[in-house]
Amino acid sequence: MKLLAGLAFIVALTALAELLCDAHVLSPAIVAAPHDVWAALVAGFAGGELWAPIRATIFHLAVGWSAAVLAGVALGTLVGLTSAGRAYVAPTLEFLRPLPASAIAPVGLLLIGRNDAMIVAVIVFGAIWPVLLGAIHGFAEVEPRLREVSRTLHLSRAQTLWTISIPSALPDIIAGARVSIAIALILAVVAEILASTGGLGDWLNLAERSYRTPDLYAGVLLVGVLGVVTNVVVQRVEAYLLRWKESAAWR
Amino acid sequence: MQQKTLFDTAHGVLSHTVLDVRSVGVTFGSREVMRDVSFSVTQGDFITIVGPSGSGKTTLLRALAGLTTPTTGSVRFKDREIREPQREVAVVFQDYNRALLPWRTVSGNIALALEARRIPRAEAPARIAEILRRVGLTNHADDFPKALSGGLQQRVQIARALAQEPEVLLMDEPFGALDAMTRQRLQDEILEIWGSTPTTVVFITHDLEEAIYLGNRIIVLEADPGRIGADIRVELPRPRNQLTTREDERFLAIRHRLFGLLGHG
Amino acid sequence: MRAPAAFLRAALLPLAIFVVWEAFARAHALPDSLSRPTTIFAALGAELLDGSLFAMTGQTLVSAAAGWAIGAVLAIACGIAVGTIPALRATVGPALELMRSVPPVALIPIALLVCGLGPKLEISMVAFAVFWPIIIFTAAGVRAIDPRVLDVARVLRFSPGARIVRFVLPAASALIAVGLRIGAGIALVVAVTTEIIANPSGIGYGIAFSATTLRPDQTFADLLALAVVGFAINALLVAGERRLFGWARA
């Protein structure tokens, strides 16, 4: 019921936009009429021009985000599980946390240049933070009783890490991964705009420069769809990995 | 200081002394939690340790478990000084919901003990199935701890302890958080488990009747600081029965004595 | 004393990095793009002295703050409406959730068409970006109000306007505050991102300009300045929230 009402609202808004565009109340140089956007989408997919940018952005996202997650967990393990890490490294990380991740993009351009490597590097450097900090926080919150259990059972250090520390930190790590994919998408777009070597960011930039508003809005729509899809995918994975957290059937 | 009878000394010489507590004192900062506690545990004993809060029961158990090192004195397991948890000693904690791995099923939690012992993966399922049968958890093998009642969760912890095939089982007020009916059921179950294996059990409780019902020897701790008030032999017939044993006049006599020592029932 | 010791330990890693970087730079010829700590700090000093750093920081902060304030006012107003009227919540809710998942950066090109270059671009981008989290938190805060509080307001015959100001806002303020804090964080990020991609003003533009004109020392200097600004703002926000809304914590 709620979903229907919501959909109806969105449909109504789209219809309103269509009307206003037809009546020339909204300038086509700024707002593209919904039917034009649709046409642009269809043309882009049918003619094949949209596939390349979509594929490029998905590639950047996939490589960058997974590298960020892996590196974040690995570094988080080193920093979070050693008292030296917590004392010497964690404060610097806390200082760098509020730095806007998009600021890395020009630096990447400076150091690496205009290519795919720069885009992926920027994504990794920006998207690693939520996972890294999540892992550090997660490892700090391991149930002390379980540490004692690992001692009384005589688990090796590796076993303790694998069976207790990491699963214990997993909820925080996955929460970080979910924020991370959102950041990865933003950085992908920013880096692609700066690099001008392809991807949806580049598509948006070019469309804006040449006032091709239907293509622009089509691109924005696709970025939005990508954002929703990636978020849903990560949420599903999260729900599966954390299925043991269901509330008690009866107590 | 405990009163050792001639019988005890002879008994100790003939059978194995598996745990030896020698003049153990524990001080945390400025607080003296335990003073000059000494006693020996013979193999096969079921010792209950009872006392009010502040008598250091949990501290004593943690010293036996090797989780806390005594400030003075020593604890020995079979002539080895305990400074670290021993493989042959298993611990069952009171807070079962924090001592189980919530991300593993019941079988998975039991398997953890087998993994620690490096039991080959192929052998594990059979062993786990056997333990599940012994504690009555076969139907819950694939449940996660969160879905189980308190009594069942505590059984999982006991099952995991059994998977260690320990020589000594230390239990820290394991049934304290459970309702009376579940408690009685688990009391009988633990007695059955103890009776069918050569395990020695050290059982901490604040419940006087539980202490008498379960043990063949009760160590009474007094509080502030913790020290031994009495060491009582329990000469009640086995198997124990929730109805008849508790009405036995010897049971009541000991109960009177404990009440006198500890001032609560 | 604990605090200085912890601070020293915290500073050890960055200091070590700078020393190694500097030593390496002096010993070997680094690529032009990397620069070295001493030149970077020199550039930072120069920017501080000639006031350009303050000017840039000021531009960014003013745009961010203005956008945040505008977005916050609109979002709180709409959030109260959405939170109190169930029918509105049902229709608008899914659209809100959808808009929240669209990364603001994708809308910068559209905003560019609408506003052109200049402060208006940045302020509208920031306002747009902070609108979504703040409206969602406001609506949640309003929904979480104990209905008895509202009953009291009605029984005491307060007008709807007075009810909102005297009862709804204070009761929902804890969650609204969370939304505002998240919004403030987003404000800075969106402002800087807009500057990097489009708007020629502020620190973001400084970093982007220095990078494209191949001035690595200035690039890193501005980056460092931005890190400090971000850290300071975050610290202020956390401290402020704790002091103003500590009572709301359980």
Side-chain angles (χ1 to χ4, degrees), chain A residues 153-192:
Chain A
L153 287 178
H154 270 264
L155 289 170
S156 70
R157 287 198 74 171
Q159 280 176 322
T160 308
L161 181 68
W162 190 246
T163 60
I164 293 181
S165 308
I166 289 186
S168 183
L170 203 58
D172 281 325
I173 292 175
I174 295 185
R178 200 156 29 90
V179 177
S180 189
I181 189 92
I183 293 183
L185 182 59
I186 294 175
L187 289 175
V189 172
V190 172
E192 285 165 1

Side-chain angles (χ1 to χ4, degrees), chain B residues 37-49:
Chain B
V37 169
S38 300
F39 62 92
S40 305
V41 178
T42 312
Q43 187 190 2
D45 265 354
F46 196 121
I47 311 251
T48 49
I49 301 180

Side-chain angles (χ1 to χ4, degrees), chain A residues 144-149 151-152, chain B residues 19 21 24 26 28 33-34 39 49 56-70 75 82-86 89-95 98 170-173 202 204 221:
Chain A
R145 183 66 78 215
L146 286 180
R147 287 196 223 258
E148 293 188 340
V149 167
R151 287 175 66 197
T152 57
Chain B
L19 283 173
V21 180
V24 161
V26 180
F28 292 130
V33 175
M34 187 149 271
F39 62 92
I49 301 180
K57 309 192 291 288
T58 298
T59 311
L60 179 57
L61 187 111
R62 291 175 63 84
L64 290 171
L67 291 169
T68 310
T69 319
V75 183
I82 295 182
R83 298 194 148 273
E84 269 300 304
Q86 306 292 305
V89 176
V91 182
V92 173
F93 296 97
Q94 181 179 20
D95 46 2
R98 288 164 59 190
L170 302 176
M171 307 183 82
D172 186 1
E173 305 201 47
V202 180
I204 309 255
L221 291 180

Side-chain angles (χ1 to χ4, degrees), chain A residues 143-146 148-149 151-156 159 163-164 167-168 243-251, chain B residues 62 66 84-85 87 91 93 95 98-99 101-104 112 115-116 118 144 146-149 153 160 164:
Chain A
E143 169 64 60
R145 183 66 78 215
L146 286 180
E148 293 188 340
V149 167
R151 287 175 66 197
T152 57
L153 287 178
H154 270 264
L155 289 170
S156 70
Q159 280 176 322
T163 60
I164 293 181
S168 183
R243 64 196 185 284
W244 49 264
K245 269 198 158 195
E246 294 149 37
S247 42
W250 61 287
R251 277 296 216 106
Chain B
R62 291 175 63 84
E84 269 300 304
R87 282 177 199 275
V91 182
F93 296 97
D95 46 2
R98 288 164 59 190
L101 273 57
W103 49 83
R104 282 197 177 197
L112 190 64
E115 290 163 28
R118 314 237 174 232
F144 287 106
K146 266 252 152 93
L148 300 176
S149 68
Q153 286 192 39
R160 181 179 66 196
Q164 283 182 261

Side-chain angles (χ1 to χ4, degrees), chain B residues 164-261:
Chain B
Q164 283 182 261
E165 290 182 59
E167 295 189 37
V168 177
L169 186 57
L170 302 176
M171 307 183 82
D172 186 1
E173 305 201 47
F175 309 145
L178 305 172
D179 62 274
M181 277 179 60
T182 313
R183 208 181 308 154
Q184 289 191 347
R185 204 176 324 138
L186 286 176
Q187 285 167 356
D188 289 330
E189 282 185 25
I190 202 72
L191 283 180
E192 209 187 298
I193 292 174
W194 169 72
S196 59
T197 52
T199 320
T200 311
V201 179
V202 180
F203 189 105
I204 309 255
T205 179
H206 62 266
D207 183 342
L208 298 185
E209 307 210 356
E210 185 172 61
I212 309 169
Y213 183 78
L214 290 173
N216 57 2
R217 186 172 153 207
I218 306 175
I219 293 180
V220 181
L221 291 180
E222 289 177 7
D224 295 316
R227 64 219 122 84
I228 296 197
D231 192 334
I232 303 172
R233 269 243 106 74
V234 180
E235 308 283 357
L236 288 163
R238 291 202 188 264
R240 305 274 166 94
N241 180 284
Q242 292 284 353
L243 270 178
T244 55
T245 309
R246 290 179 190 263
E247 290 172 351
D248 190 308
E249 42 181 41
R250 286 165 290 185
F251 184 99
L252 297 171
I254 300 177
R255 187 162 165 271
H256 271 258
R257 197 169 153 206
L258 288 179
F259 195 96
L261 283 166

